[in-house]
């Protein structure tokens, strides 16, 4: 099928208009649509498959690849109505087909196309074929959804291979073009983890970590045909290194069969990706990006080649042995139709996929990801390992790598959930209660995690002048660069301090605190932040205090953040209240059973995203919007670049890049700066009562007549950002 796609995908370039264009692109004066080559190739391919009696799946797959290889994987609207039913396009397509030299193009493609190219009713006939194919796909999705998902994944696989090959042919340098897919893969033995841990010393927690690691390795070796695994262990028990052992072991087993498996480590938050990448870097001896690559908004766009175009290609196609990325990037590659994401999709086949903190995924993505992972593991030969201290259980057909997780939970007694949320408090009342306990709290390392940026900043301001020990603020209105610096400062000291944070501190951030206070949130978030309390178990049991905080108008902060749809409170809040109702406190070793009840309630809920799965599998026009599903339906964001926090002259370099006339060179220059920009950027939600011009200057082609949030380049003026507290603003524009 892929061979046929390669033969057919550019047949439309034989049209007279395209030949005129390609001989002198700058001098082409014809109509833009008449030089388009994919619509005519698409129509011809539909009739070719139907006329040859090919399997309908072949026809749909090849036609979709021909149509979409420049614009994106096509939906049902583009496959039927958009070109074939549009009178203007139909006229262009049939004119192009009639002008294509039929005998020559048949020889080039090895398909007999003379009759099809001369068909005066080409578009009407092609529409009939397309309509039958789409209707058949819809019927299959309704009656056999897993089968339809498998077909969708296979279609994306073939499409993705074409995209990478096409791009490689065009952009790679001559010496890399011929051998980049045949270079021997680096040997990464599973023993690397034991070598790395050899000097870590003996302790009860290290003994438990070794025990868990050996148990999981034994389980995965004894079950080589199982491809969906869960790894449930208490926070702090070394899931990162355990997963590395498992992934390297699976990779070595495949190598013995002559297969090279990539490893993908998928994480929910940028706040923990840096420390995970650091662990893997130390484990592997700080290898080049061709061996260990980070792929996310903060990562440097560098590769082990001096050729910039080669480097860009390898980064975009995830050409690395181990890729550390975010849920956003992984899910976009899985579900987003755009070619920039689909070009790397095929690398998810025959891969080892390690998901950390999988419980953080919104429930509306549970059903789509369940079906996608079933398809990837059953039909594309991948292995998935879903890690979490609290398994949500939404992926079916899994086996747990730990036979009885409760044995490990009972070995700990690090914290106690102290449930104080049944009576609400205003933020000011909460601050007064902290000041009343000041002498006690200043003896501890205290973490206070709140739900909104504004509440965190307001509490920090109240306490800052009163507190004698160091006090830190961590929220999304501080640049990622400055947040990471504060986290490192907290980690490097064992002295008493007070940390006021938002959820940026929550999952996986490796800090050890003596007392944790958390504003009310879904149970999985409460348990995650509890994992920062007495993390290494070096102290007697400590408290994690759960509160229910409101603003002065008595609106709960939790309901401002945990929402669905158009601002309705997230069902997870109510389910959390329900499962916690019988308790005043919960010991760490009893958390697991409470979480199981909580996730069971969520799994029985009505909206786990089944509509998104059906739309995706049936190629419906309304495809899953990953950004909305991950972040919710909110107003547009404004990205404010704090250029003064960059170590170079970022503003000047950005201005120079924006001046480049050639759009491809301009795009390449901007992408080289993307990591630096992201590290010093703060995003805020657009509001009618605030304008970024109050604190920032637009650069580039700014149009004041358009909504300000459409302009991507706002540079914060000096004096409007403080590394300790973030943006300095009048009024409260943050949630």
């Amino acid at each position: 099928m892929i061979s046929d796609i390669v033969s057919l995908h550019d047949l439309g370039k034989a049209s007279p208009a395209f030949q005129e264009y390609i001989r002198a692109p700058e001098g082409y004066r014809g109509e833009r649509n008449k030089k388009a080559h994919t619509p005519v190739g698409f129509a011809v391919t539909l009739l070719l498959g139907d006329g040859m009696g090919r399997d309908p799946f072949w026809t749909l797959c090849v036609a979709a690849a021909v149509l979409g290889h420049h614009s994106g994987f096509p939906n049902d609207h583009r496959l039927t109505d958009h070109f074939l039913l549009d009178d203007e396009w139909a006229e262009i397509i049939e004119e192009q087909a009639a002008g294509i030299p039929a005998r020559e193009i048949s020889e080039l493609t090895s398909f007999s196309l003379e009759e099809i190219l001369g068909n005066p009713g080409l578009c009407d006939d092609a529409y009939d074929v397309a309509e039958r194919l789409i209707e058949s796909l819809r019927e299959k999705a309704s009656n056999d959804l897993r089968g339809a998902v498998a077909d969708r994944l296979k279609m994306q696989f073939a499409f993705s291979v074409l995209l990478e090959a096409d791009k490689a042919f065009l952009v790679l340098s001559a010496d890399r073009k011929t051998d980049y897919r045949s270079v021997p893969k680096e040997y990464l033995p599973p023993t690397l983890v034991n070598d790395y841990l050899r000097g870590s010393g003996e302790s009860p927690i290290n003994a438990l970590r070794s025990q868990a690691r050996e148990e999981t390795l034994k389980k995965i070796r004894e079950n080589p045909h199982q491809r969906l695994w869960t790894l449930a262990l208490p926070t702090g028990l070394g899931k990162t290194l355990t997963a590395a052992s498992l992934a390297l072991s699976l990779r070595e087993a495949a190598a013995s069969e002559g297969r090279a498996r990539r490893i993908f480590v998928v994480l929910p938050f940028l706040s923990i990706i840096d420390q995970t990448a650091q662990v893997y870097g130390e484990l592997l001896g700080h290898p080049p990006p061709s061996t260990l690559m980070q792929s996310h908004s903060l990562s440097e766009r560098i590769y082990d080649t001096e050729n910039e175009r080669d480097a860009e290609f390898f980064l975009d196609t995830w050409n690395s042995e181990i890729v550390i990325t975010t849920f956003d990037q992984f899910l976009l590659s899985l579900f987003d139709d755009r070619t920039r994401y689909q070009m790397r999709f095929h690398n998810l086949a025959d891969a080892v996929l390690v998901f950390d903190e999988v419980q953080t995924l919104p429930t509306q993505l549970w059903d789509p990801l369940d079906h996608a992972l079933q398809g990837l593991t059953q039909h594309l030969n991948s292995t998935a390992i879903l890690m979490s201290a609290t398994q949500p259980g939404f992926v079916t057909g899994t086996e747990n790598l730990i036979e009885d997780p409760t044995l490990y939970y009972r070995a700990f007694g690090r914290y106690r959930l102290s449930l104080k949320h049944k009576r609400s408090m205003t933020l000011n009342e909460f601050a007064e209660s902290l000041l009343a306990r000041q002498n006690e709290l200043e003896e501890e390392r205290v973490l206070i995690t709140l739900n909104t940026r504004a509440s965190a900043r307001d509490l920090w301001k109240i306490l800052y002048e009163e507190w004698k020990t160091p006090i830190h603020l961590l929220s999304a209105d501080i640049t990622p660069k400055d947040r990471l610096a504060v986290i490192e400062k907290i980690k490097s000291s064992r002295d008493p301090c007070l940390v006021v944070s938002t959820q940026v501190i929550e999952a996986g951030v490796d800090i050890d605190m003596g007392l944790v206070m958390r504003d009310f949130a879904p149970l999985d978030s409460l348990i995650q932040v509890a994992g920062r309390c007495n993390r290494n178990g070096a102290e007697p049991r400590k408290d994690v205090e759960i509160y229910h905080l409101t603003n002065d108008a008595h609106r709960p902060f939790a309901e401002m953040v945990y929402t669905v749809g158009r601002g309705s409170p997230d069902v997870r809040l109510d389910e959390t209240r329900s499962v916690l109702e019988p308790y005043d406190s919960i010991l760490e070793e009893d958390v697991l059973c409470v979480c199981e009840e909580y996730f069971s309630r969520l799994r029985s809920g009505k909206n786990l995203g089944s509509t998104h799965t059906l739309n995706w599998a049936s190629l419906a026009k309304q495809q899953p919007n990953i950004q909305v599903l991950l972040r919710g339906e909110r107003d547009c964001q404004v990205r404010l670049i704090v250029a003064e926090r960059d170590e170079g002259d970022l503003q000047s370099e950005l201005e120079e890049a924006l001046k480049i006339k050639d759009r491809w060179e301009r795009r390449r220059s901007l992408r080289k700066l993307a990591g630096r920009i992201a590290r010093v950027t703060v995003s805020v939600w657009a509001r009618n009562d605030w304008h970024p011009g109050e604190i920032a200057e637009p650069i580039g082609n700014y149009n004041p007549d358009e909504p300000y949030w459409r302009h991507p380049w706002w540079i914060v003026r000096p004096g409007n950002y403080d590394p300790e507290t973030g943006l300095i603003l009048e009024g409260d524009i943050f949630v």
Side-chain angles (χ1 to χ4, degrees), residues 460-468 471:
W460 183 90
K461 286 179 179 177
I462 294 170
L463 300 179
Y464 184 75
E465 295 296 333
E466 304 292 335
W467 224 254
K468 298 181 179 64
I471 178 170

Side-chain angles (χ1 to χ4, degrees), residues 553-622:
H554 300 287
R555 184 186 175 195
F557 292 110
E559 293 180 8
M560 300 178 193
V561 173
Y562 297 102
T563 61
V564 293
R566 295 290 179 182
S568 301
D570 193 326
V571 67
R572 293 180 300 166
L573 295 175
D574 283 339
E575 297 297 0
T576 301
R577 290 189 189 95
S578 296
V579 297
L580 295 182
E581 180 60 34
Y583 305 97
D584 292 320
S585 64
I586 302 173
L587 302 180
E588 179 185 12
E589 51 268 39
D590 297 326
V591 156
L592 195 58
C593 65
V594 180
C595 288
E596 287 172 352
E597 181 185 352
Y598 167 72
F599 285 120
S600 175
R601 286 168 173 261
L602 292 182
R603 291 195 300 273
S604 64
K606 294 180 180 179
N607 189 5
L608 301 183
S610 57
T611 300
H612 302 304
T613 310
L614 183 65
N615 287 343
W616 178 60
S618 60
L619 309 189
K621 185 177 180 180
Q622 188 63 40

Side-chain angles (χ1 to χ4, degrees), residues 295-307:
S295 179
H296 53 85
S297 61
L298 301 187
S299 55
E300 293 281 359
R301 289 189 62 80
I302 55 174
Y303 198 81
D304 34 330
T305 176
E306 293 183 1
N307 186 303

Side-chain angles (χ1 to χ4, degrees), residues 188-190 192-193 243-252 263 283 322:
L188 302 173
L192 284 170
V193 174
S245 290
L246 294 167
L248 293 173
S249 179
L250 288 166
R251 190 175 187 273
E252 185 177 56
I263 296 170
L283 179 68
I322 302 176

Side-chain angles (χ1 to χ4, degrees), residues 640 690-698 708 714 717:
L640 299 169
W690 180 81
H691 191 282
E694 295 177 18
I695 63 166
E697 296 288 345
Y708 63 77
W714 290 93
R717 290 191 292 270

Side-chain angles (χ1 to χ4, degrees), residues 44 59 121 143 206 246 429 625:
V44 169
T59 305
N143 299 322
N206 282 342
L246 294 167
E429 289 171 340
N625 186 320

Side-chain angles (χ1 to χ4, degrees), residues 471-537:
I471 178 170
H472 307 286
L473 177 63
L474 283 168
S475 80
D477 57 8
I478 298 172
T479 67
K481 176 183 177 181
D482 290 329
R483 290 203 306 266
L484 290 172
V486 173
I487 290 170
E488 282 304 311
K489 188 183 296 185
I490 297 166
K491 288 168 64 175
S492 64
S493 171
R494 294 294 308 147
D495 295 335
C497 65
L498 174 62
V499 180
V500 180
S501 82
T502 58
Q503 301 92 321
V504 296
I505 202 71
E506 210 162 80
V509 176
D510 187 13
I511 63 171
D512 193 352
M513 309 300 288
L515 172 64
V516 171
M517 301 176 177
R518 178 64 164 95
D519 191 5
F520 190 72
L523 182 63
D524 49 295
S525 294
L526 302 182
I527 301 305
Q528 283 302 315
V529 80
R532 305 323 114 202
C533 182
N534 197 15
R535 184 175 177 83
N536 295 316

Side-chain angles (χ1 to χ4, degrees), residues 234-265:
T235 300
L237 211 59
K239 289 190 292 294
T240 299
L241 288 174
T242 297
S245 290
L246 294 167
L248 293 173
S249 179
L250 288 166
R251 190 175 187 273
E252 185 177 56
S256 67
E257 301 171 2
R259 292 157 44 221
R261 303 188 80 180
R262 281 186 169 88
I263 296 170
F264 290 89
V265 182

